[in-house]
Amino acid sequence: MISSLYVAERGVGPKTVVFLHGLGGCHDVWGEVISALAPNIRTLAYDLPGHGLSLDFPASGSARTAARAVLADLAARRMKRLHLVGHSMGGAVATLMALTEPEKVASLTLLAPGGFGMEINGPLLRRYAAAADKGEIRACLAAMSGPQGLPPERIVDVFGEMRKRPGQLHKLVEIAAAMTRNDRQGVIPREQLDTLDMPVMVVWGTDDAVLPFAQADGLPAHFHLHHVLEAGHMLVEEAPDLIAEIVRRNINRRGRRRRPRLDAEVS
């Protein structure tokens, strides 16, 4: 194990896209999406603090901690301009990063992002965090997917191997408990979202059993919204080709004119 963030880097090109997974995930979930974008785009897929090869990262847990950690890693890499893609908890991380250092973020693609409403399926997420064997992991992923979605066996295998690492299950249970305390999640104020000037695309499955797609109601007018019919929460696994195309479109959009920045320190 290492005490720094792990990132899988792939491709070359003038644009860099950063991928941030959700609770219980790792960089491997983005494999099909990244393959569809390669080779003309540089991609950085992180293991967030407390996950995978970033398991031993200090003070791991919250979305704010993860946002600070990824921003620090990108600064160490001297990254000046990039596109962020985040799913679920990773969507909250990406949003906090964009609010904190908007000048670095060229676009924001959020897949069923955390932090857009209080409602969260705490029991299902805590069950998923504690899932130790592949059968239970598969059952949890199926419950989080849409009616036509079957969890890919490759992903079940990846998550199963990841959870065999000493301390991984304990860490996921700890993160899930903090994230779903009282079966509510923390909310990013809508007035802060309105300050985001870069192109923002929000994607939500209409059959999301973890975060209700109604949380996308009332978003700032300049946000683009894409509902995926009969898809659940696991959009990356359920519709990788669609997600790749949405990312490709969003990174080619132009943002609106800049407004004065509202402080949103990640702390």
Side-chain angles (χ1 to χ4, degrees), residues 35-77:
S35 292
L37 294 173
N40 298 321
I41 295 174
R42 181 187 182 193
T43 62
L44 299 173
Y46 280 88
D47 280 357
L48 293 179
H51 292 75
L53 295 176
S54 299
L55 174 59
D56 288 345
F57 189 84
S60 58
S62 72
R64 291 185 181 276
T65 297
R68 279 201 307 271
V70 177
L71 284 171
D73 186 80
L74 291 169
R77 293 171 183 273

Side-chain angles (χ1 to χ4, degrees), residues 13 45 63 69 79 84 107 109-110 117 121 124 126-127 130 149 164 169 189 196 199 202 216 237 246 252 261:
M79 302 295 300
L84 296 180
S107 76
T109 305
L110 306 173
N121 190 334
L124 178 54
R126 292 190 292 272
R127 175 190 170 194
K164 290 179 181 178
L169 270 179
L196 297 172
V202 178
E237 292 84 358
I246 287 172
N252 289 318
R261 177 183 170 187

Side-chain angles (χ1 to χ4, degrees), residues 181-239:
R181 189 176 291 113
N182 299 321
D183 290 333
R184 291 289 185 266
Q185 65 171 338
V187 178
I188 301 170
R190 292 296 166 104
E191 60 268 22
Q192 290 193 17
L193 297 180
D194 192 53
T195 69
L196 297 172
D197 296 293
M198 70 289 295
V200 182
M201 169 65 79
V202 178
V203 186
W204 227 300
T206 58
D207 287 74
D208 193 322
V210 178
L211 299 173
F213 76 91
Q215 291 180 3
D217 294 347
L219 292 176
H222 64 284
F223 280 30
H224 293 265
L225 177 61
H226 187 117
H227 283 138
V228 185
L229 298 178
E230 297 187 349
H233 188 67
M234 307 305 289
L235 292 167
V236 183
E237 292 84 358
E238 294 180 69

